Amino acid sequence: MGADIHGFIECRSRWAEPEDAWSAAVDLDLLYLGRDYDAFGCLFGVRNHAGFAPLAAERGLPELISDAARADFDDWGSSAHSPSWIGWNELRCVDWDEPGETTDRRIHEYEEVDGTWVLASKAVWSARFAKVAGLPLHPPTGTVDYGRADWPEGTEWRDGDRLYRLERMTRREAVPPEGEWKPVWSVMEALAAVHGDENVRLTVWFDN
């Protein structure tokens, strides 16, 4: 079952009444249409297959949440989980070249295209990979990775036009600067230029 993200960019205007009131500036669904577990894990610790130290996991909803964000979260009822938030003042200080704490739980599969290895997929299970790596073709129920602790980072297996590699991702690879999150960051940056970095945040939750 897949997980999707919802939420709002919220802003505390310099003209807000009262001073600590937050407003819902933009619905996240208008800016981000993806379902990227690498980004979810890197940012909020959800579906964190790549083993990042999440930037803002399980913080809960902000105490002074905007009315619109609260109402939308409540509408999701019991389907909503893992609420959290992160401020623009935090995001602008992130070291995007920081690697994951562990190697990725998924084997990275590359396809040879015109003499170059191109990433084709990342998966927690592949019968073709299991065969070339000498693993059981039918893993026990509940298996979620390939036992990454048993292989050094960078271990590779070649099978014809496929290359399988155990890798460690960086935050930049999980959240590319020109990727799907760029519109979100652009709006937050624009609001922060007017109201201050500490007065702009992204409040989110997930559903399965």
Side-chain angles (χ1 to χ4, degrees):
M1 183 179 296
D4 291 302
I5 191 170
H6 309 279
F8 286 84
I9 294 174
E10 296 185 297
C11 182
R12 183 168 52 192
S13 168
R14 61 174 62 182
W15 306 288
E17 291 292 343
E19 292 183 356
D20 59 356
W22 288 77
S23 299
V26 183
D27 190 325
L28 181 60
D29 289 346
L30 297 175
L31 298 172
Y32 179 79
L33 305 178
R35 180 193 275 179
D36 190 330
Y37 295 155
D38 290 332
F40 293 175
C42 171
L43 297 171
F44 301 109
V46 173
R47 303 293 176 101
N48 191 14
H49 304 304
F52 289 108
L55 297 176
E58 298 289 352
R59 289 181 171 178
L61 295 178
E63 181 179 357
L64 299 175
I65 191 172
S66 64
D67 291 341
R70 166 60 74 181
D72 198 23
F73 176 80
D74 289 345
D75 284 345
W76 281 95
S78 60
S79 298
H81 65 86
S82 306
S84 197
W85 59 272
I86 189 168
W88 180 248
N89 56 333
E90 298 174 277
L91 285 165
R92 68 187 302 272
C93 297
V94 171
D95 177 5
W96 295 104
D97 293 317
E98 182 183 2
E101 293 185 304
T102 66
T103 53
D104 198 330
R105 295 169 66 182
R106 303 155 300 180
I107 291 294
H108 292 215
E109 178 180 346
Y110 292 84
E111 179 182 8
E112 189 172 14
V113 179
D114 297 329
T116 301
W117 292 112
V118 178
L119 184 64
S121 67
K122 294 174 286 188
V124 294
W125 182 253
S126 161
R128 181 171 176 176
F129 168 73
K131 184 176 181 180
V132 73
L135 297 174
L137 295 183
H138 303 287
T141 301
T143 295
V144 294
D145 59 34
Y146 290 107
R148 59 188 176 193
D150 297 331
W151 295 320
E153 180 181 344
T155 301
E156 295 182 348
W157 299 260
R158 176 78 180 267
D159 183 27
D161 64 347
R162 289 293 191 275
L163 177 70
Y164 300 92
R165 182 185 296 141
L166 186 65
E167 298 188 1
R168 186 187 305 260
M169 296 184 67
T170 65
R171 294 194 189 279
R172 190 179 306 279
E173 290 172 320
V175 190
E178 298 299 319
E180 293 177 308
W181 285 88
K182 184 178 180 179
V184 181
W185 307 151
S186 296
V187 170
M188 295 182 74
E189 184 176 29
L191 289 169
V194 178
H195 302 285
D197 292 351
E198 71 281 5
N199 293 319
V200 179
R201 71 187 177 207
L202 176 62
T203 298
V204 304
W205 56 91
F206 296 81
D207 81 283
N208 294 336

